[in-house]
Amino acid sequence: MLLRTINFEIVVEHPHKYLFNFGKLIDAKFSLIQMAVSFLNDSIVHTNLCLAHPPADIAAACLQVATELLNPLQLPVVNSPSDWGALGIKPQHVDHIGLALLNMIVGNMEPG
């Protein structure tokens, strides 16, 4: 009924371009980008994050979670409030989305 009301016109801006742009800004290694893209793709399939949050926030959270799960001492990190704020992203959104991503990852790893 809802889709019929809006004439099946749904536009969702994907966060991939933001992820790649942020990756360039922090000079991220390929392994970090690869992991962040995996999280991003999984989040589109397994969650409603792309409908509930701005694409830039989702991209930032994917990069932050990937950074934390890889080796945070050797990879560029953009996770302080001032860093995300400079990009127009609210750090509390990144933290909230990051937690949802971690829940998704843990949920996908559980058997059954």
Side-chain angles (χ1 to χ4, degrees):
M1 179 81 167
L2 176 63
L3 289 174
R4 194 170 283 150
T5 302
I6 61 172
N7 293 323
F8 295 89
E9 292 182 26
I10 298 176
V11 177
V12 176
E13 186 178 10
H14 289 270
H16 291 81
K17 70 178 179 181
Y18 294 98
L19 190 145
F20 292 119
N21 288 338
F22 294 161
K24 286 179 185 177
L25 279 174
I26 63 171
D27 196 29
K29 293 182 180 180
F30 178 75
S31 58
L32 174 64
I33 297 296
Q34 188 175 29
M35 182 178 276
V37 167
S38 294
F39 295 154
L40 185 54
N41 291 339
D42 287 348
S43 76
I44 290 170
V45 173
H46 299 292
T47 71
N48 67 350
L49 290 173
C50 67
L51 299 173
H53 300 282
D57 293 1
I58 297 168
C62 288
L63 276 172
Q64 182 168 315
V65 169
T67 300
E68 292 169 359
L69 291 178
L70 287 172
N71 188 348
L73 300 176
Q74 295 181 2
L75 295 171
V77 179
V78 179
N79 63 2
S80 75
S82 60
D83 292 338
W84 288 128
L87 297 172
I89 296 168
K90 294 182 180 175
Q92 60 270 30
H93 290 179
V94 173
D95 292 339
H96 175 75
I97 297 166
L99 183 58
L101 289 169
L102 288 171
N103 287 333
M104 175 197 70
I105 293 164
V106 170
N108 285 339
M109 291 172 36
E110 291 178 359

